[in-house]
């Protein structure tokens, strides 16, 4: 695993050489706080409604507010995040809807990771099913997975565009889950190729993940 960290460090080091003092970054701020019924905790919990806005930066310091990237409601107990409609959540009707959104995002990410390298074999399909069921505690049939792979195959979706679209909807806990899932899929065959390392770096960048944070998550995965 040391070689993985070394490659990632070198990749980041090369990017720093081309460092430009101007840039952009997402800045998260709190909009409101209160209590809500959390679909994951299945109980009333404190929440923090947060907004993510893109800022123009100078030497990484956010100075100029630009556009809104999104907002989310964060449960202060389990740290899961939801769109703001969760504040109107009815536990008797809506549990399946919110769970389905989360599961679909994880499943789509894994499929796009498989499609990124252009080849999908049976062992990779088995890995997706195992990882998906471990993370979501939901059974995924091989037939359903193959059907969704075929559905996305011809639609020219890009994994970076997809993870970037999640940036304004996830807190650090959610972003870490995305990174872990992406890593597990990339490493499913027991190898972490240069193209896969580069893709993971791009996913991290699309989520505004810092170099230190990414390294910490990979270290945790290795342990």
């Amino acid at each position: 695993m040391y070689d993985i960290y070394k490659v990632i460090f070198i990749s980041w080091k090369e990017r720093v050489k081309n460092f430009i003092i101007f840039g952009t970054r997402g800045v998260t701020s709190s909009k409101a706080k209160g209590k809500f019924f959390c679909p994951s905790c299945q109980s009333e919990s404190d929440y923090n409604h947060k907004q993510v806005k893109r800022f123009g930066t100078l030497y990484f310091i956010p100075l100029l507010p630009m556009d809104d990237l999104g907002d989310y409601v964060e449960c202060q107990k389990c740290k899961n995040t939801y769109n703001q409609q969760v504040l109107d959540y009815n536990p008797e009707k809506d549990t399946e809807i919110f769970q389905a959104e989360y599961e679909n995002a994880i499943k789509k990410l894994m499929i796009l990771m498989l499609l990124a390298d252009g080849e999908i074999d049976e062992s990779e399909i088995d890995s997706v099913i195992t990882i998906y069921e471990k993370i979501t505690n939901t059974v995924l049939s091989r037939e359903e997975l193959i059907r969704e792979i075929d559905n996305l195959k011809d639609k020219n979706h890009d994994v970076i565009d997809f993870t970037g679209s999640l940036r304004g909807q996830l807190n650090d806990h959610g972003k870490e889950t995305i990174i872990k899932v992406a890593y597990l899929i990339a490493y499913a065959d027991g190898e972490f190729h240069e193209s896969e390392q580069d893709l993971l770096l791009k996913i991290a960048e699309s989520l505004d993940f810092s170099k230190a944070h990414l390294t910490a998550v990979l270290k945790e995965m290795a342990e």
Side-chain angles (χ1 to χ4, degrees):
M1 297 304 297
Y2 172 77
D3 289 339
I4 294 175
Y5 304 140
K6 184 177 180 181
V7 169
I8 290 175
F9 174 75
I10 292 173
S11 298
W12 279 104
K13 187 176 181 181
E14 289 300 317
R15 294 175 187 224
V16 171
K17 288 181 180 179
N18 300 319
F19 173 66
I20 301 174
I21 60 175
F22 299 102
T24 62
R25 59 172 290 195
V27 176
T28 303
S29 59
S30 180
K31 292 181 64 176
K33 296 182 179 181
K35 289 187 177 294
F36 80 133
F37 190 94
C38 174
S40 295
C41 298
Q42 285 296 296
S43 63
E44 188 175 75
S45 305
D46 293 324
Y47 74 82
N48 196 341
H49 187 184
K50 295 184 177 181
Q51 181 179 51
V52 185
K53 183 182 289 288
R54 192 197 316 272
F55 274 72
T57 62
L58 177 64
Y59 290 108
F60 297 112
I61 301 173
L63 298 175
L64 179 65
M66 300 172 68
D67 54 328
D68 291 332
L69 295 176
D71 63 297
Y72 59 85
V73 173
E74 177 186 75
C75 174
Q76 298 305 288
K77 184 182 296 183
C78 68
K79 298 303 180 183
N80 282 337
T81 58
Y82 310 92
N83 61 48
Q84 60 182 322
Q85 281 74 31
V86 75
L87 299 180
D88 298 320
Y89 176 72
N90 183 332
E92 295 181 358
K93 297 180 180 179
D94 299 334
T95 299
E96 293 183 2
I97 295 175
F98 282 97
Q99 184 65 21
E101 289 178 353
Y102 168 72
E103 292 173 1
N104 285 335
I106 294 297
K107 181 165 51 181
K108 184 174 181 179
L109 169 65
M110 292 194 291
I111 292 173
L112 292 178
M113 287 288 296
L114 293 185
L115 293 174
D117 65 8
E119 297 182 4
I120 302 176
D121 58 36
E122 290 300 313
S123 64
E124 289 178 318
I125 290 177
D126 290 338
S127 295
V128 167
I129 292 173
T130 300
I131 294 168
Y132 177 85
E133 293 182 356
K134 182 177 181 180
I135 291 175
T136 66
N137 294 315
T138 303
V139 174
L140 175 62
S141 71
R142 178 178 293 269
E143 292 74 17
E144 178 187 351
L145 177 57
I146 292 175
R147 184 170 60 251
E148 298 207 26
I149 290 173
D150 291 337
N151 185 46
L152 286 174
K153 186 183 300 182
D154 301 324
K155 294 188 177 180
N156 199 30
H157 288 291
D158 181 80
V159 64
I160 305 303
D161 289 342
F162 176 64
T163 55
S165 72
L166 300 175
R167 175 174 51 188
Q169 305 171 33
L170 299 173
N171 58 3
D172 285 346
H173 174 75
K175 292 177 182 179
E176 286 177 6
T177 300
I178 294 297
I179 291 293
K180 289 176 181 179
V181 169
Y183 170 77
L184 288 172
I185 293 299
Y187 199 64
D189 60 357
E191 297 182 5
F192 198 32
H193 301 288
E194 184 176 346
S195 60
E196 294 169 329
Q197 296 162 12
D198 186 60
L199 180 59
L200 191 61
L201 287 167
K202 290 178 180 177
I203 289 174
E205 289 178 344
S206 75
L207 294 170
D208 281 337
F209 231 60
S210 70
K211 174 180 62 177
H213 200 166
L214 174 61
T215 301
V217 170
L218 292 178
K219 182 178 180 182
E220 177 187 342
M221 296 294 291
E223 293 173 350

